[in-house]
Amino acid sequence: YVLTGCVGLASLCYLGMSRATAMWQFLLLSGIQGFAWAGATNLPVGIMISNWFGPKVKGTAMSIGMLGSGAGALVWVNFISKIIAGSGWRTAYLAMAGVNALMIPIALILVVSMPSDKGFEVRVGDPSPEEVAKAGGVSTQKTGITGTQALKTSRWWFQWMAAMVTMIGASAFNSAYFTDLTGDKASAALVYSGALGTMILGKFLLGVFSDVLHIKRTAVLAPLFYAGVFICMALAATNMGFTKGMTLFYMIGGAVPSVIPALITVHNFGDKEFSVMNGWMNMAGNVGQIIGPTIAAFVFDVTGTYRMAWIIFAVLMVVVALLYFMSNISSKKQIEEFIENNMEDEVMDASKINIADEEEFEKLILAYDYSTRKNSRYMVLEEEPEMVEKDGYRYPALRFVKRRA
């Protein structure tokens, strides 16, 4: 019902905008519409996907769920542009209100929040009972930490800043620049909608990459494609041929804001309170949406061109990649918790640990590196350990104990 209410509220705002006669009315309705839009687009989609799909396919499922924005943009931009050209902007707002309202009965009839509402006991892509038993009997359904606990970690703020900075650049990507370059609104709309349309494939690919390559790698690599988008936009000022390169880079880069934040949140903190944390990540994007156009407009007013703004945003996308990289670095506290959680009788025996994935293997390596430091609370017993080969990983059967004073 929250989704339905937000869709209805957004439709009413568009209806009000079609009748607005003063700037303050637009500002008021836009503020309300922005709030409603958050509860009618990426936020509910991310929550429902987290509720319905487990870790094996979450990336692919998230990307498929977000395909609608790319497909919708491809049709929507041209549709609204034609209405404005033929009947004026007031009619365009009426059309937006009407099309948006079509989602109300669809949401009421088709949206199901939890698998249990339809009699399912597990999510699609959750581990089988055999896999759960192999992992030591620990289920991955709705595991993780609370939102309050996440706020106390550095990795949360790294990923929050990454989401905000991403939207600083993403929100400034619009058709006005291409109108200036081509001098023709129809040609500009074609370039702009063409780039948006590539996200239909791009979001799917980004989700698959996240499942296959691991989200922590994808989160670092994908923003670099967005940097390529802005570099091509800057170069297009002298050669429109670079818009082709921009479109190709946008296929992956443009999908970053809607796919990566949700997946990195689940990876870093689990989905125990995903709804709360996903809302906070959307807030980061909203902050970025305020800053981005402001920067672009300021640069244009000062220099008379957007080129410097695109260069700034390209650099910011590299910063996004670095922030996501930092959000995946295990802290000293996390390494100590890994050792403590795997201790039996005050000894952590690496041969008895279930190394189920690359992240656990990485923590074991970091635990050894940490144990060699003078200020470490732990040490490795001096002995000749045997080599362990398990689940595709090979490592020495080191034994960790607390360092004596």
Side-chain angles (χ1 to χ4, degrees):
Y1 294 108
V2 173
L3 171 60
T4 305
C6 287
V7 171
L9 182 58
S11 297
L12 289 174
C13 288
Y14 286 135
L15 183 62
M17 289 176 186
S18 72
R19 297 286 184 268
T21 57
M23 180 57 70
W24 69 267
Q25 295 171 349
F26 279 107
L27 293 174
L28 177 61
L29 290 169
S30 295
I32 300 172
Q33 182 266 339
F35 170 80
W37 205 239
T41 51
N42 290 357
L43 184 58
V45 171
I47 292 171
M48 284 189 288
I49 289 172
S50 182
N51 289 342
W52 273 89
F53 296 92
K56 289 183 178 179
V57 296
K58 195 182 292 289
T60 302
M62 186 72 71
S63 63
I64 293 174
M66 297 297 180
L67 288 181
S69 60
L74 180 62
V75 176
W76 194 248
V77 172
N78 291 306
F79 175 65
I80 295 300
S81 296
K82 290 180 180 179
I83 292 178
I84 293 174
S87 304
W89 62 267
R90 291 187 184 275
T91 305
Y93 273 123
L94 283 174
M96 292 167 70
V99 173
N100 203 49
L102 293 176
M103 277 299 301
I104 295 175
I106 294 174
L108 288 171
I109 296 170
L110 297 181
V111 171
V112 181
S113 297
M114 301 292 293
S116 57
D117 295 339
K118 287 294 183 179
F120 297 101
E121 295 182 359
V122 297
R123 300 175 298 178
V124 178
D126 268 330
S128 65
E130 293 77 15
E131 290 171 321
V132 171
K134 189 176 180 181
V138 180
S139 172
T140 58
Q141 287 197 58
K142 294 295 182 181
T143 60
I145 64 177
T146 65
T148 302
Q149 291 171 324
L151 291 177
K152 297 177 182 178
T153 66
S154 59
R155 65 169 53 192
W156 166 264
W157 293 107
F158 280 128
Q159 73 169 51
W160 194 91
M161 288 294 295
M164 183 192 73
V165 177
T166 300
M167 283 308 299
I168 289 177
S171 60
F173 182 82
N174 58 67
S175 61
Y177 177 62
F178 304 111
T179 302
D180 291 342
L181 293 182
T182 63
D184 178 32
K185 290 184 179 180
S187 298
L190 184 63
V191 173
Y192 180 62
S193 61
L196 295 178
T198 62
M199 287 195 296
I200 299 173
L201 177 60
K203 289 185 179 183
F204 175 74
L205 291 176
L206 193 57
V208 173
F209 292 158
S210 298
D211 285 336
V212 175
L213 298 178
H214 203 288
I215 179 59
K216 69 179 184 180
R217 292 193 183 93
T218 308
V220 174
L221 294 174
L224 301 180
F225 283 82
Y226 224 147
V229 169
F230 289 115
I231 291 171
C232 286
M233 289 178 70
L235 294 173
T238 55
N239 185 346
M240 281 295 291
F242 282 102
T243 58
K244 296 178 181 178
M246 177 208 73
T247 301
L248 291 174
F249 279 121
Y250 196 79
M251 183 186 298
I252 299 298
V256 170
S258 57
V259 176
I260 296 299
L263 293 179
I264 202 71
T265 298
V266 173
H267 167 68
N268 283 341
F269 305 105
D271 50 12
K272 183 177 182 179
E273 287 194 0
F274 174 75
S275 299
V276 174
M277 289 185 273
N278 194 35
W280 292 341
M281 291 297 284
N282 271 267
M283 287 173 60
N286 293 338
V287 173
Q289 285 178 312
I290 296 171
I291 300 173
T294 304
I295 293 176
F298 176 78
V299 171
F300 182 82
D301 288 342
V302 173
T303 65
T305 177
Y306 287 108
R307 289 188 67 184
M308 183 55 66
W310 305 146
I311 294 171
I312 292 172
F313 294 146
V315 173
L316 287 180
M317 290 304 163
V318 177
V319 172
V320 169
L322 292 173
L323 288 170
Y324 276 132
F325 175 77
M326 294 298 292
S327 77
N328 284 304
I329 295 177
S330 297
S331 65
K332 173 183 173 182
K333 182 179 179 181
Q334 289 170 321
I335 296 170
E336 290 180 343
E337 288 177 351
F338 171 75
I339 297 174
E340 287 287 344
N341 292 338
N342 287 287
M343 274 191 162
E344 290 185 12
D345 298 326
E346 299 188 347
V347 177
M348 184 184 87
D349 189 340
S351 65
K352 298 180 180 179
I353 298 175
N354 180 56
I355 304 296
D357 54 38
E358 189 173 324
E359 185 175 359
E360 293 295 304
F361 184 60
E362 182 180 310
K363 285 183 179 178
L364 178 60
I365 295 172
L366 292 173
Y368 173 71
D369 178 69
Y370 176 54
S371 69
T372 63
R373 301 177 187 176
K374 291 182 179 180
N375 61 346
S376 172
R377 293 173 54 198
Y378 304 92
M379 59 180 287
V380 172
L381 295 177
E382 294 183 5
E383 53 190 13
E384 288 295 326
E386 297 180 356
M387 295 303 296
V388 177
E389 292 192 29
K390 189 190 305 181
D391 297 329
Y393 297 98
R394 189 171 187 270
Y395 49 91
L398 301 172
R399 295 201 299 161
F400 296 77
V401 297
K402 289 188 176 180
R403 190 180 293 274
R404 299 178 182 85

